[in-house]
Amino acid sequence: MNLLPAENLQIAKKHGFRSLKLLNVDQDRALEEQPVGVDYGRLDNGLYYYVRCNSKPRMRAALALAVKAGSVLEEEDERGVAHIVEHLAFSATKKYTNHDMIKFLESIGAEFGACQNAVTSADDTVYELFVPIDKPELLSQAISVLAEFSLEVRVSKDDLEKERGAVMEEYRGNRNAAGRMQDAHWVLMMEGSQYAERLPIGLEKVIRTVSHETVKQFYRKWYHISNMAVVAVGDFSDTQSVVELIKTHFGQKSSAPDPPLIPTFPVPPHEHPRFSCFVESEAAGSAVMISYKMQADQLKTVKDYRDLLAESMFLYALNQRFFKISRRKNPPYFSCSAAADVLVRPLKAYMMTSSCKEKGTIEALESMLIEVARVRLHGFSEREISIVRALLMSEIESAYLERDQMQSTSLRDEYLQHFLRNEPVVGIEYEAQLQKTLLPHITALEVSNYSEKLRTSCSCVIKTIEPRASATVDDLKNLMLKINILEEERNISPWDDEHIPEEIVSIKPNLGNIVQQFEHPNIGATELILSNGMRVCYKCTDFLADQVIFTGFSYGGLSELQESDYFSCSMGTTIAGEIGVFGYRPSILMDMLAGKRAEVGVNLGAYMRSFSGDCSPSDLETALQLVYQLFTTNVAPGGEDVKIVMQMAEEAVRAQERDPYTAFANRVKELNYGNSYFFKPIRISDLRKVDPLKACEYFNNCFKDPSTFTVMIIGSIDPTIALPLILQYLGGIPRPPEPIMHLNRDDLKGLPFTFPSTIVREVVRSPMVEAQCSVQLCFPIELKNGTMVEEIHFVGFLSKLLETKLMHVLRFKHGQIYSVVVSVFLGGNKPSRTGNVRGDISINFSCDPAISSKLADLALDEILRLQEEGPSDEDVSSILEIEQRAQENGLQENYYWLDRILRSYQSRIYAGDVSTSFEIIDEGRSKVRSTLTPLTAQLALQRILPHPCTRQYTVVILMPQTSRFKLLKSFFRSSQIGYRSDAKILAGIAGFTVVALTLWRYSRSTLKS
């Protein structure tokens, strides 16, 4: 959201945030209702429009059609129809038929899913396009597509029958553990309201049986031009010409006279809390959810904005406490967070969610309720509020500095919220001034008072989620009464803060120096060899004014380990991370970094170990200090730290064992990669053999010798400021007397990768609450070393070709899947400069279990057809266009450049000169693009995949476990399925429940096509 009155539009943009003048604010001053910085108006037929010029990215436009019609408007026999209409819009309209609209958009480089999509929520439906506009006709054509969505969707019987399968598969995909938990919580939250019975996905019986007449009736009744808005943000020469295009395509459209008023559906409040103990046998862990509902606030005045800031400060401060509690000895939960959001048009809620150990929900709930009560009794300290104030000030400063570099999609979303939610759009300059003016005067008392809104008498809903029942509703009620009594008697002690050191690096390291320096004009980068042997390559860009990103890597990773050491060392990042890899416990480091935008993460891979980071240019010193600390800290395991990590890990493994996909994913890996310990799933018995001392020693050695690391730094860098910091904190990392993990890439130990030499088709049956089915079709690939650069580019083009063609066949032609994903794995061999590249290409989709084998065969048939007949000219043209548009967008992004330079260093052709390998890779791409034709694509498919593809492949199909009787009945039915998933255990996987459930509103009340 932006806030800026018209008179401040010409604020000098060259001034830095710190020179912004404070405002003499009137708390009652109204915020501008008219959105600022955008050409905003309404056509004679009632259509609203928002048009803004924005050059990020260049020659692109982010478009949207918003319709104030969602699933809450459905009648009982229409439940799911709003979402079906959205699907049909891409299928057939007055101008386009048989998904020709999708094919047209792909032909101009707008990929289906990424650049053309739609979202159905309870209150509205939004159609989105992201299109190139470097040719005069493209913008007009894209706006005409939005106009087709508005009133010209063709709803015929045939159209509906073709799309039913895709909608049904989307429904089935949402009926997993997370979906069931989210649905149940939504119904509990919305009880007594129409919203409770109007989830956008609808009912299975309606999806399967609804008539096209019913769908058409809903479309004609609620899709009125006066309830719509067109948003266009892009690299336009002017806004008026775009407004004229909107008038051309929409101006003559009119709906039936006297459209029905859009009703409001209140969600009734309740004084007494609602309780639920939800048992989900496939749950990824145990969790607690507490929600407090209230009417959504109106943001109309400066005071409203101040209140919004105070609320944000409250949530930040509360989350910091939750995080610190999760890092204590014997914590009540693994993770916990609080958030506030508008759930539906009239309703807002504060939501607290935690993930905890099994049978630990009561303990987690007690801690959550006590902490809110503690704030009510004792408030936040001035120190806590100063930390939060610094965080918010840092965020708004970053937004202000990048005010001219906002993505068009972000601006588009702001205008959508103005239309759909009446959120003010008043400009980042004024918002920055407001925050700079207001934040210093918001007191700890004001912030703490927001805890009054988190009382259990405030339409509260308390819910536990467990894989096996342990908590009861009576337990929840009794606990709530217990906390209320403790609060009434003031028997809750004040918060006890930890001591926070002032400096990350207490003694500055000795300055390193530059031994060699190379300029790389074709990359626009400078390369340094430092006195401690570290290689540093930096590139200055102006893509984002407040972003610097970096990564460093060294060869040698987990593949070097013996089986007896593997499981312990693979836990090194997890255990060390909990202790503190930068010299301080995470809870302390969080406060030390308050007000700074700097973060660094680490990774231990099969062949490499790496660190990466993101920071503001003004906080580059802090970020590099963290890297210095990473290399100079010796992490030593403490009993409690290890206990917490292993407890989380064991919970994660148990969650995987409950997941129907686990046995399937394990079998896929075993079948395609062999039975090596490296690919085996981690069991509880493995975790109990982990040696924490060995894990920490291995981790310490991984980041000890700077001479083995190559570091790339990209972003808004001023070399005169950055170079001394690089020499101080990277050049100052001491080089050990003897090399540590100084490994040659050519001598690394390869993974024991094998692939079946024949055809293997298997069914993995797993117990499920509701039937799910996933298919993985996999082919081995081997790229010859001599032509490897071009072949890797070919693999990229072919994977996109396969994904596009299989989507057209399986979804658009047969209407039986929701989406298909083609993945490439090229890590079968060590990254040496000799030998071939081995790996696989896998195709993944979910579907109706009854037709899974048939769809796998259809996919094989299509791939074989492409090998024998080749793709069409149109197919190749679309793939080239999609790739070119992605390249053009990427060239304007720091992360894209970081990845290109990283790949140039890690390429097998790299021999000391990154310029040369960068150029060869770029030439390889150009060569493949210039030679890619239907014939060369066909030959590449024959050369890279087994030919014919039906000669060597694996198909693994996940199926629901059936009884012996059902199995006997279906004996003659061939059915098989597959899904690709990495079952490796990661650091905070037990916290997944919190992430998933905190976002329940988004995943259940909105559905994308």
Side-chain angles (χ1 to χ4, degrees):
M1 184 197 64
N2 284 334
L3 302 167
L4 172 62
E7 63 266 23
N8 287 336
L9 271 175
Q10 300 304 319
I11 290 177
K13 293 187 176 182
K14 291 184 180 180
H15 290 188
F17 177 78
R18 290 172 176 80
S19 65
L20 274 178
K21 293 181 179 179
L22 300 181
L23 297 173
N24 184 14
V25 292
D26 176 2
Q27 297 286 324
D28 296 324
R29 179 182 177 179
L31 301 174
E32 289 287 332
E33 292 185 8
Q34 292 277 105
V36 174
V38 62
D39 198 337
Y40 168 72
R42 197 174 189 186
L43 303 186
D44 293 339
N45 60 6
L47 178 80
Y48 290 89
Y49 62 82
Y50 301 73
V51 180
R52 173 164 172 167
C53 298
N54 187 65
S55 60
K56 184 76 173 179
R58 292 187 295 272
M59 302 313 296
R60 296 292 184 275
L63 309 176
L65 174 71
V67 187
K68 290 181 177 178
S71 60
V72 75
L73 299 175
E74 297 164 348
E75 300 295 337
E76 184 64 25
D77 64 343
E78 297 175 328
R79 292 175 63 177
V81 165
H83 180 229
I84 290 173
V85 167
E86 172 226 300
H87 270 252
L88 290 173
F90 286 92
S91 174
T93 65
K94 184 177 180 180
K95 183 177 177 182
Y96 297 95
T97 188
N98 197 28
H99 297 95
D100 288 339
M101 177 187 294
I102 292 172
K103 296 170 187 174
F104 157 68
L105 290 168
E106 286 178 337
S107 74
I108 65 172
E111 185 179 359
F112 182 66
C115 301
Q116 42 172 317
N117 214 325
V119 182
T120 302
S121 73
D123 289 319
D124 43 67
T125 305
V126 179
Y127 300 87
E128 298 174 344
L129 300 177
F130 184 70
V131 296
I133 53 170
D134 53 350
K135 298 173 185 175
E137 70 279 7
L138 295 183
L139 180 60
S140 179
Q141 290 172 326
I143 292 175
S144 76
V145 167
L146 294 182
E148 291 286 298
F149 293 150
S150 67
L151 297 175
E152 309 295 346
V153 175
R154 191 183 74 192
V155 186
S156 71
K157 184 176 180 180
D158 288 344
D159 297 327
L160 179 58
E161 292 308 314
K162 283 183 180 180
E163 201 63 28
R164 264 191 224 277
V167 179
M168 192 59 227
E169 188 49 42
E170 188 173 0
Y171 174 88
R172 185 182 294 107
N174 280 284
R175 299 307 302 159
N176 55 17
R180 289 189 294 273
M181 292 186 290
Q182 292 159 355
D183 284 356
H185 192 68
W186 177 267
V187 171
L188 191 65
M189 286 277 288
M190 301 297 170
E191 186 178 312
S193 166
Q194 174 98 332
Y195 287 103
E197 304 300 323
R198 294 297 182 270
L199 284 163
I201 194 62
L203 299 178
E204 180 178 357
K205 66 178 181 181
V206 174
I207 297 171
R208 290 190 184 278
T209 64
V210 69
S211 68
H212 74 281
E213 289 92 349
T214 300
V215 177
K216 186 182 292 184
Q217 177 183 319
F218 179 90
Y219 178 62
R220 288 179 174 173
K221 180 178 181 181
W222 295 112
Y223 271 57
H224 278 266
I225 206 79
S226 59
N227 293 330
M228 299 182 188
V230 171
V231 181
V233 182
D235 194 11
F236 312 132
S237 57
D238 65 279
T239 59
Q240 191 54 43
S241 61
V242 182
V243 172
E244 291 303 318
L245 286 175
I246 293 172
K247 290 179 179 178
T248 298
H249 294 293
F250 283 89
Q252 301 307 310
K253 294 188 179 298
S254 60
S255 306
D258 301 321
L261 292 175
I262 297 177
T264 58
F265 300 94
V267 180
H270 46 96
E271 182 179 350
H272 300 293
R274 292 175 185 160
F275 301 93
S276 172
C277 295
F278 191 83
V279 178
E280 171 54 63
S281 62
E282 296 173 6
S286 298
V288 177
M289 302 178 70
I290 312 174
S291 302
Y292 307 86
K293 299 177 293 182
M294 61 204 70
Q295 288 297 304
D297 302 319
Q298 292 292 310
L299 188 56
K300 293 186 175 182
T301 67
V302 170
K303 182 182 183 305
D304 296 335
Y305 186 73
R306 179 192 172 106
D307 291 342
L308 186 66
L309 282 178
E311 177 187 86
S312 297
M313 294 173 75
F314 169 75
L315 293 169
Y316 266 108
L318 188 60
N319 280 328
Q320 288 199 322
R321 284 197 181 182
F322 285 154
F323 178 76
K324 291 175 181 179
I325 291 170
S326 73
R327 293 302 180 265
R328 289 177 177 172
K329 294 180 180 179
N330 298 314
Y333 42 68
F334 299 132
S335 59
C336 183
S337 64
D341 203 359
V342 176
L343 304 185
V344 293
R345 199 165 283 153
L347 186 71
K348 173 182 176 176
Y350 291 99
M351 295 170 286
M352 298 192 299
T353 312
S354 70
S355 69
C356 59
K357 63 187 177 184
E358 195 167 341
K359 299 182 180 180
T361 53
I362 297 300
E363 183 184 1
L365 175 61
E366 180 176 18
S367 178
M368 295 161 75
L369 292 176
I370 280 181
E371 206 49 52
V372 175
R374 193 192 316 276
V375 176
R376 279 196 292 267
L377 288 175
H378 306 289
F380 292 112
S381 68
E382 290 295 339
R383 181 174 166 278
E384 287 177 290
I385 296 306
S386 66
I387 288 173
V388 168
R389 188 180 290 121
L391 282 168
L392 286 174
M393 201 72 85
S394 174
E395 287 183 3
I396 191 62
E397 179 178 10
S398 180
Y400 176 79
L401 293 175
E402 294 177 352
R403 63 196 182 280
D404 295 326
Q405 299 162 323
M406 288 185 70
Q407 290 285 346
S408 292
T409 50
S410 298
L411 291 167
R412 176 188 66 189
D413 292 345
E414 288 187 1
Y415 301 130
L416 286 171
Q417 290 307 305
H418 179 271
F419 176 68
L420 297 172
R421 298 282 187 270
N422 296 317
E423 282 194 11
V425 178
V426 205
I428 190 64
E429 290 92 343
Y430 182 58
E431 186 169 3
Q433 283 185 295
L434 264 183
Q435 289 206 28
K436 191 174 179 182
T437 302
L438 297 175
L439 277 171
H441 302 288
I442 298 176
T443 66
L445 179 60
E446 282 182 85
V447 174
S448 303
N449 283 342
Y450 272 83
S451 59
E452 292 294 334
K453 296 189 176 186
L454 275 63
R455 287 193 177 275
T456 51
S457 57
C458 299
S459 296
C460 179
V461 177
I462 298 177
K463 181 174 185 174
T464 62
I465 299 169
E466 298 178 293
R468 285 179 287 272
S470 66
T472 66
V473 168
D474 284 342
D475 292 334
L476 307 187
K477 290 179 178 179
N478 292 335
L479 178 62
M480 184 193 73
L481 292 173
K482 172 187 170 183
I483 304 302
N484 289 345
I485 292 171
L486 287 174
E487 183 176 359
E488 288 170 9
E489 296 177 350
R490 303 187 69 84
N491 274 338
I492 298 173
S493 61
W495 175 260
D496 185 19
D497 255 336
E498 299 175 279
H499 171 71
I500 307 300
E502 293 185 6
E503 299 290 339
I504 294 174
V505 177
S506 55
I507 301 175
K508 287 194 174 183
N510 295 325
L511 205 67
N513 59 280
I514 300 171
V515 177
Q516 288 180 288
Q517 180 168 330
F518 308 96
E519 299 297 331
H520 301 295
N522 61 331
I523 307 177
T526 300
E527 186 178 34
L528 312 172
I529 309 296
L530 305 184
S531 50
N532 60 2
M534 182 176 277
R535 185 183 299 266
V536 178
C537 178
Y538 67 87
K539 176 179 173 64
C540 307
T541 71
D542 58 2
F543 305 136
L544 288 172
D546 199 45
Q547 184 183 69
V548 176
I549 58 175
F550 55 88
T551 192
F553 77 94
S554 179
Y555 286 106
L558 298 172
S559 73
E560 301 299 308
L561 298 168
Q562 299 296 319
E563 182 172 3
S564 58
D565 296 329
Y566 172 74
F567 286 116
S568 290
C569 295
S570 67
M571 290 291 292
T573 304
T574 308
I575 294 173
E578 187 65 30
I579 297 167
V581 299
F582 306 110
Y584 305 95
R585 292 180 59 84
S587 58
I588 293 176
L589 187 64
M590 177 180 68
D591 283 354
M592 295 177 71
L593 296 177
K596 299 179 183 293
R597 200 172 69 76
E599 55 182 327
V600 178
V602 297
N603 181 59
L604 301 182
Y607 300 120
M608 298 178 206
R609 56 220 193 263
S610 63
F611 62 85
S612 57
D614 185 341
C615 65
S616 169
S618 60
D619 295 320
L620 179 61
E621 180 172 14
T622 300
L624 295 182
Q625 285 178 336
L626 292 174
V627 176
Y628 175 82
Q629 289 289 103
L630 172 65
F631 277 80
T632 57
T633 296
N634 279 312
V635 181
E640 285 299 324
D641 297 317
V642 173
K643 180 180 175 182
I644 293 170
V645 172
M646 301 315 295
Q647 192 176 54
M648 291 174 65
E650 287 193 17
E651 290 290 333
V653 170
R654 290 192 182 97
Q656 288 180 344
E657 290 172 349
R658 290 191 295 268
D659 186 346
Y661 287 89
T662 298
F664 166 68
N666 291 344
R667 180 55 186 154
V668 166
K669 288 196 297 181
E670 181 182 21
L671 183 64
N672 291 342
Y673 304 142
N675 200 28
S676 162
Y677 64 87
F678 195 87
F679 296 110
K680 280 184 178 179
I682 294 180
R683 307 292 186 193
I684 297 290
S685 57
D686 298 318
L687 290 175
R688 290 173 179 168
K689 295 175 186 175
V690 167
D691 181 344
L693 183 62
K694 183 179 291 184
C696 289
E697 286 177 349
Y698 177 74
F699 180 87
N700 290 334
N701 285 335
C702 284
F703 300 97
K704 188 64 68 179
D705 190 343
S707 68
T708 67
F709 276 80
T710 299
V711 181
M712 290 129 287
I713 307 174
I714 315 289
S716 182
I717 302 167
D718 180 347
T720 62
I721 297 173
L723 271 176
L725 298 176
I726 290 171
L727 295 178
Q728 182 89 68
Y729 297 108
L730 298 185
I733 298 172
R735 186 172 183 170
E738 298 294 329
I740 299 176
M741 295 187 71
H742 204 297
L743 302 170
N744 188 311
R745 63 186 294 179
D746 297 319
D747 299 328
L748 297 179
K749 180 181 175 183
L751 295 179
F753 174 83
T754 60
F755 195 93
S757 58
T758 57
I759 298 170
V760 179
R761 295 178 72 113
E762 284 193 10
V763 173
V764 174
R765 295 194 178 273
S766 185
M768 299 178 189
V769 176
E770 295 188 50
Q772 299 279 316
C773 176
S774 229
V775 178
Q776 177 175 294
L777 171 61
C778 192
F779 302 96
I781 57 176
E782 185 167 354
L783 310 181
K784 303 300 181 185
N785 193 46
T787 57
M788 179 204 53
V789 172
E790 288 84 3
E791 292 291 74
I792 288 177
H793 285 295
F794 264 117
V795 168
F797 281 105
L798 294 181
S799 64
K800 183 54 63 179
L801 173 68
L802 291 174
E803 191 169 88
T804 302
K805 293 303 293 178
L806 291 173
M807 189 73 166
H808 286 190
V809 170
L810 299 180
R811 176 167 175 176
F812 302 149
K813 181 178 178 180
H814 292 279
Q816 296 298 336
I817 69 165
Y818 177 62
S819 64
V820 62
V821 176
V822 175
S823 306
V824 178
F825 167 68
L826 295 177
N829 280 6
K830 62 185 180 182
S832 69
R833 283 163 286 207
T834 59
N836 297 338
V837 174
R838 297 172 63 229
D840 63 51
I841 290 181
S842 64
I843 295 147
N844 308 275
F845 57 87
S846 60
C847 63
D848 184 339
I851 59 171
S852 55
S853 187
K854 174 186 174 183
L855 294 184
D857 289 337
L858 285 174
L860 280 166
D861 290 345
E862 177 62 14
I863 297 168
L864 182 60
R865 186 194 69 78
L866 290 169
Q867 284 187 319
E868 298 303 320
E869 302 175 14
S872 66
D873 287 321
E874 180 185 0
D875 294 332
V876 172
S877 176
S878 292
I879 297 306
L880 286 170
E881 194 70 14
I882 289 171
E883 190 274 347
Q884 177 62 27
R885 299 309 189 180
Q887 166 90 349
E888 292 168 357
N889 290 341
L891 289 172
Q892 304 171 60
E893 301 293 336
N894 287 324
Y895 277 103
Y896 180 81
W897 277 100
L898 182 67
D899 181 64
R900 288 187 74 187
I901 297 172
L902 181 64
R903 283 190 286 116
S904 298
Y905 274 113
Q906 293 178 353
S907 170
R908 292 180 175 221
I909 56 175
Y910 174 71
D913 184 355
V914 72
S915 286
T916 300
S917 59
F918 182 93
E919 193 170 325
I920 292 172
I921 292 171
D922 220 31
E923 288 173 353
R925 171 185 174 269
S926 298
K927 182 178 178 181
V928 171
R929 282 189 59 86
S930 65
T931 59
L932 193 65
T933 64
L935 178 59
T936 57
Q938 178 187 356
L939 293 174
L941 283 167
Q942 294 176 0
R943 183 174 67 250
I944 293 172
L945 294 181
H947 182 234
C949 66
T950 51
R951 174 174 58 85
Q952 186 185 9
Y953 66 86
T954 63
V955 171
V956 185
I957 304 180
L958 172 66
M959 295 286 278
Q961 196 173 67
T962 55
S963 68
R964 290 181 181 272
F965 177 69
K966 288 183 178 178
L967 199 60
L968 185 63
K969 284 176 64 178
S970 60
F971 180 79
F972 293 104
R973 265 186 287 163
S974 173
S975 48
Q976 306 158 329
I977 299 193
Y979 176 85
R980 189 178 183 86
S981 175
D982 182 7
K984 286 294 174 190
I985 186 167
L986 299 176
I989 196 166
F992 166 77
T993 308
V994 168
V995 176
L997 294 176
T998 302
L999 299 177
W1000 63 273
R1001 198 276 293 191
Y1002 293 102
S1003 56
R1004 299 313 295 158
S1005 70
T1006 60
L1007 292 167
K1008 288 199 172 189
S1009 282

